[in-house]
Amino acid sequence: MNGNIIMYNLLIFILLLTFPVTNQSTIGKVNLKAPIEELSAYLFLSETCPICISLTPEIKKIEAEFLNKGLVLHLVFPNVKDSNPEKIGKFVRKYHLKSQAFIDNEQSLTNKYGASTTPEVFLVEKKTDRIIYSGKVNDEFIALGKRKRTNINHFLYDAIRKYLEGDKSTVISTKAVGCFIIKEID
């Protein structure tokens, strides 16, 4: 009986050596190692801002492409008096967003990054806390009430892609267009 257990353990050991588990994320293979989170994106939103609502397809595209591949996306709702967990939950469910959403109750992130508009994004390198990109998600809205339908630049998507492909030197900033964040003063 004891010899059978030793043989069984030896067989398992040989199988593990013969068929190593890889870290590649491909169909049919198991990825036992969590992805390295290289970037955090803090996307300041308002559940009532029409520009934020119109950006949800772009946000979903970014989530589909980059979540679990180096990006953590935080959906930050900075308007403390207007937002509540029920409204935010409804917004996230309605637009099928996967990222963590929360109210910036003390507006600490709003103040840390100097966010003044929704939508406005700050793409941050995790290990250095360096801002890689800040501003618009895309340039669909060139001003309040002015929308372009073609030749849209996807600033956030491109900044994430370039960084994850190895271009870590570029720091870009654009001027966000949208609804003002209501600053809470004590």
Side-chain angles (χ1 to χ4, degrees):
M1 185 71 145
N2 208 6
N4 288 341
I5 293 173
I6 293 171
M7 289 301 291
Y8 177 77
N9 287 337
L10 183 60
L11 179 62
I12 296 295
F13 179 73
I14 291 170
L15 286 173
L16 286 173
L17 288 176
T18 308
F19 301 103
V21 177
T22 66
N23 188 19
Q24 297 175 331
S25 180
T26 57
I27 296 175
K29 292 185 180 179
V30 177
N31 183 0
L32 297 178
K33 186 175 179 186
I36 297 171
E37 296 172 353
E38 296 182 48
L39 294 171
S40 289
Y42 297 93
L43 178 54
F44 291 83
L45 297 170
S46 168
E47 65 276 15
T48 59
C49 176
I51 296 175
C52 292
I53 293 167
S54 74
L55 277 179
T56 56
E58 180 102 3
I59 296 167
K60 286 172 55 172
K61 177 182 175 184
I62 289 168
E63 287 179 332
E65 183 91 16
F66 300 114
L67 287 185
N68 300 318
K69 295 179 184 167
L71 175 72
V72 176
L73 179 59
H74 306 277
L75 308 177
V76 183
F77 291 81
N79 292 320
V80 177
K81 293 196 173 154
D82 293 339
S83 296
N84 65 51
E86 185 180 322
K87 288 180 184 177
I88 293 171
K90 185 177 178 182
F91 178 87
V92 168
R93 285 187 302 278
K94 181 176 182 177
Y95 298 108
H96 308 285
L97 301 175
K98 298 176 184 174
S99 298
Q100 176 191 14
F102 59 91
I103 298 171
D104 188 12
N105 284 318
E106 304 296 319
Q107 291 191 325
S108 55
L109 288 172
T110 305
N111 293 327
K112 176 180 180 177
Y113 293 112
S116 60
T117 307
T118 63
E120 185 171 10
V121 68
F122 296 85
L123 184 63
V124 179
E125 183 179 54
K126 285 191 83 155
K127 67 181 171 187
T128 64
D129 206 30
R130 179 175 70 111
I131 296 174
I132 303 299
Y133 171 75
S134 66
K136 301 176 181 183
V137 172
N138 65 31
D139 65 352
E140 178 181 355
F141 286 87
I142 54 175
L144 287 176
K146 292 188 180 183
R147 180 184 217 167
K148 63 185 207 179
R149 303 278 182 191
T150 59
N151 300 321
I152 296 171
N153 293 297
H154 303 276
F155 299 118
L156 178 59
Y157 180 92
D158 290 342
I160 295 167
R161 182 184 48 75
K162 285 179 184 177
Y163 183 91
L164 293 176
E165 288 176 353
D167 182 0
K168 296 178 177 20
S169 62
T170 307
V171 177
I172 302 169
S173 179
T174 60
K175 178 77 174 137
V177 173
C179 305
F180 290 113
I181 293 174
I182 301 165
K183 299 287 180 152
E184 301 296 327
I185 300 173
D186 290 338

